[in-house]
């Protein structure tokens, strides 16, 4: 804890940069920044009250950090996973809804995506099926319609795209069906 006192003293009484304070105290620049961030969160200035021993200082700094982090609200990843199956739903949209629901106490976008992907990575997904070549054909709708323009009349008609796959590897066929 002696280093925290020294960091606060150097920062308040000198014009040294974080890097210079780190060199003077033989600690990393990140540790200096962390101590300053903790002291700012605890609204602690210099000089410290005389009744603050190292233990009291540590409790004050880390209690504030713990209280701040305990307000974090974990998203319901199962619901996020189900919502992503709906048309037009993205992780950015779900994260924004989550942020509004938690009143700004949730993850940032990158952390939200990272945590969701870690959660989704633990899901067991397997459906092993054996298909003989040419025996089965699997077709699926490939998304929203695409416009097809008639070259003679200029009429624009929507067209759905379907993908068909034979039930054996390396046999694929892509076709278009007009609606």
């Amino acid at each position: 804890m002696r280093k925290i006192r020294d960091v606060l003293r150097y920062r308040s009484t000198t014009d040294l940069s974080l890097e210079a304070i780190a060199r003077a105290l033989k600690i990393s620049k990140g540790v200096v920044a962390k101590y300053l961030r903790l002291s700012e969160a605890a609204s602690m200035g210099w000089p410290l009250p005389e009744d603050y021993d190292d233990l009291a200082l540590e409790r004050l700094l880390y209690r504030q950090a713990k209280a701040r982090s305990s307000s974090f609200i974990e998203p319901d990843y199962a619901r996020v996973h189900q919502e992503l199956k709906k048309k037009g739903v993205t992780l950015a949209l779900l994260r924004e809804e989550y942020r509004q629901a938690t009143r700004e106490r949730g993850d940032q976008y990158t952390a939200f995506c990272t945590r969701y992907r870690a959660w989704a990575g633990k899901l067991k997904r397997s459906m092993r099926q054996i298909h003989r070549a040419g025996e089965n054909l699997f077709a699926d709708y490939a998304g929203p319609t695409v416009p097809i323009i008639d070259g003679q009349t200029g009429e624009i008609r929507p067209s759905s795209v379907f993908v068909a796959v034979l039930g054996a590897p390396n046999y694929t066929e892509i076709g278009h069906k007009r609606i």
Side-chain angles (χ1 to χ4, degrees):
M1 285 296 106
R2 180 75 185 151
K3 299 286 184 181
I4 291 179
R5 289 179 186 280
D6 291 340
V7 166
L8 294 175
R9 182 173 49 83
Y10 274 126
R11 190 62 172 179
S12 298
T13 60
T14 67
D15 291 329
L16 295 176
S17 66
L18 297 184
E19 192 172 325
I21 294 171
R23 271 196 314 267
L25 297 174
K26 295 184 174 120
I27 58 177
S28 74
K29 183 178 167 183
V31 170
V32 171
K34 176 181 144 189
Y35 288 163
L36 292 173
R37 196 172 45 251
L38 288 172
S39 68
E40 186 177 317
S43 301
M44 184 181 301
W46 187 261
L48 295 173
E50 290 185 25
D51 61 336
Y52 274 28
D53 62 351
D54 288 345
L55 188 59
L57 180 60
E58 182 180 6
R59 280 188 191 139
L60 178 67
L61 289 179
Y62 288 100
R63 181 183 63 213
Q64 291 291 333
K66 187 176 181 181
R68 197 168 20 110
S69 68
S70 68
S71 67
F72 172 76
I73 298 172
E74 192 78 25
D76 180 5
Y77 294 117
R79 189 186 72 75
V80 170
H81 191 67
Q82 290 302 315
E83 290 291 319
L84 277 174
K85 294 177 182 179
K86 295 180 181 175
K87 181 178 178 179
V89 177
T90 64
L91 276 174
L93 178 66
L94 292 173
R95 188 263 167 193
E96 185 61 29
E97 289 175 1
Y98 156 70
R99 188 185 65 79
Q100 289 174 357
T102 59
R103 296 191 179 104
E104 309 284 337
R105 293 182 297 164
D107 279 336
Q108 295 298 320
Y109 177 71
T110 304
F112 179 82
C113 292
T114 302
R115 289 176 190 246
Y116 167 72
R117 289 188 181 111
W119 178 87
K122 295 176 185 173
L123 296 177
K124 292 189 176 190
R125 289 181 234 139
S126 65
M127 189 171 132
R128 186 164 303 276
Q129 295 180 344
I130 299 172
H131 301 285
R132 292 195 183 99
E135 202 171 80
N136 295 329
L137 177 74
F138 299 94
D140 194 10
Y141 174 67
T145 60
V146 291
I148 302 292
I149 303 171
D150 188 332
Q152 294 177 349
T153 65
E155 179 186 5
I156 300 174
R157 296 169 56 186
S159 176
S160 297
V161 179
F162 289 83
V163 177
V165 179
L166 289 172
N170 300 324
Y171 293 119
T172 60
E173 178 178 304
I174 299 175
H176 299 278
K177 180 183 177 189
R178 286 186 153 176
I179 296 180

